[in-house]
């Protein structure tokens, strides 16, 4: 019985200590945590678990490393505020995935970021067509900042016609080619064939689809991005 009481007391105490440490380290959203923040949080959590599971081990053996990590994190955070170079090393730099409407595959490869990742995050921003994106920046936190191209404003009648057309076609704007490979499943979903796609690409001057990094089709318009040489 005494062991269980000790475990409860240690749990409550460590809970208060961790709350204090996190409050001192500052407020940041989970999605905005840097690699340094994440490492510190994981290590502190692991120490707390080990201290709770081993009630015979003195709490001081856990408290000292926790406060040491807190001190390291605060010092590095302060230094990074003063130095852009150190901040880039600790937090990383934003990476421009789409620049002036052009997908940069070299940056994607460097960040180990694939087209599925890009499409998922674009859909999360309610952007269904890559062709609508002027700039897409992968932030150090892993979030994607998206800036869409400016659309020409027409009359209300034209806008109504465009909406009706869009509703009639009901396009999902699925990628038809990714990394030089034709997406057969996506072609079936839009009721198109491999032969149709090849013919359309040839008519547009693209003889070898393997040179295409990304291709989508929306409302009768192709968006094609060639691989970087």
């Amino acid at each position: 019985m005494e062991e269980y009481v000790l475990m409860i007391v240690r749990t409550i105490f460590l809970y208060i200590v961790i709350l204090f440490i996190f409050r001192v380290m500052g407020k940041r959203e989970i999605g905005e945590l840097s690699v340094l923040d994440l490492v510190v949080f994981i290590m502190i959590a692991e120490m707390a678990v080990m201290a709770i599971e081993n009630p015979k081990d003195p709490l001081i053996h856990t408290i000292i490393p926790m406060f040491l990590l807190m001190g390291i994190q605060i010092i590095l955070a302060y230094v990074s505020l003063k130095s852009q170079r150190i901040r880039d090393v600790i937090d990383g730099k934003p990476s421009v995935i789409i620049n002036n409407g052009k997908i940069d595959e070299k940056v994607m490869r460097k960040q180990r970021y694939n087209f599925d990742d890009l499409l998922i995050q674009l859909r999360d921003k309610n952007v269904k067509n890559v062709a609508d994106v002027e700039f897409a920046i992968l932030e150090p936190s892993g979030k994607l900042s998206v800036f869409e191209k400016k659309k020409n404003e027409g009359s209300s009648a034209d806008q109504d016609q465009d909406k009706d057309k869009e509703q009639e076609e009901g396009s999902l704007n699925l990628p038809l080619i990714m990394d030089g490979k034709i997406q057969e499943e996506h072609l079936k979903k839009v009721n198109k064939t491999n032969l149709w796609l090849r013919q359309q690409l040839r008519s547009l001057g693209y003889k070898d689809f393997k040179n295409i990094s990304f291709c989508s089709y929306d409302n009768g318009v192709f968006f094609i991005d060639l691989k970087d040489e």
Side-chain angles (χ1 to χ4, degrees), residues 69-84:
L69 285 173
M70 181 188 73
I72 293 173
Q73 200 273 351
I74 292 173
I75 291 171
L76 288 177
Y78 178 78
V79 173
S80 67
L81 287 174
K82 302 294 183 179
S83 172
Q84 175 69 44

Side-chain angles (χ1 to χ4, degrees), residues 145-157:
S145 298
V146 179
F147 302 89
E148 295 186 66
K149 296 176 181 176
K150 292 182 179 179
K151 297 181 180 179
N152 295 325
E153 296 182 358
S155 65
S156 58

Side-chain angles (χ1 to χ4, degrees), residues 1-64:
M1 184 67 180
E2 183 180 346
E3 183 178 346
Y4 291 111
V5 173
L6 182 60
M7 185 179 296
I8 292 171
V9 172
R10 289 168 73 97
T11 301
I12 296 173
F13 177 74
L14 287 169
Y15 174 75
I16 295 171
V17 170
I18 292 173
L19 276 180
F20 172 77
I21 290 174
F22 286 178
R23 292 283 290 180
V24 171
M25 288 195 301
K27 295 180 179 179
R28 298 184 78 173
E29 293 182 13
I30 296 299
E32 296 177 352
L33 294 179
S34 66
V35 175
L36 175 63
D37 294 329
L38 191 59
V39 170
V40 170
F41 287 4
I42 291 173
M43 290 183 69
I44 289 177
E46 286 293 326
M47 290 176 186
V49 170
M50 292 175 63
I52 293 171
E53 290 180 345
N54 300 293
K56 294 182 180 180
D57 187 34
L59 270 177
I60 193 68
H61 292 172
T62 301
I63 299 300
I64 290 176

Side-chain angles (χ1 to χ4, degrees), residues 83-142:
S83 172
Q84 175 69 44
R85 186 173 299 177
I86 293 177
R87 186 162 59 249
D88 290 341
V89 172
I90 294 175
D91 292 334
K93 294 181 180 179
S95 301
V96 181
I97 302 297
I98 299 178
N99 190 2
N100 286 318
K102 178 74 174 68
I103 300 173
D104 194 329
E105 293 89 19
K106 290 182 179 178
V107 174
M108 290 179 68
R109 285 193 294 269
K110 184 178 179 180
Q111 297 297 327
R112 293 177 292 280
Y113 189 83
N114 57 49
F115 281 104
D116 289 326
D117 297 327
L118 176 61
L119 295 175
I120 289 171
Q121 292 199 289
L122 286 178
R123 287 195 293 270
D124 188 55
K125 300 288 185 181
N126 295 320
V127 178
K128 75 166 189 171
N129 194 344
V130 180
D132 295 333
V133 179
E134 185 74 20
F135 294 97
I137 302 171
L138 186 64
E139 306 293 353
S141 64

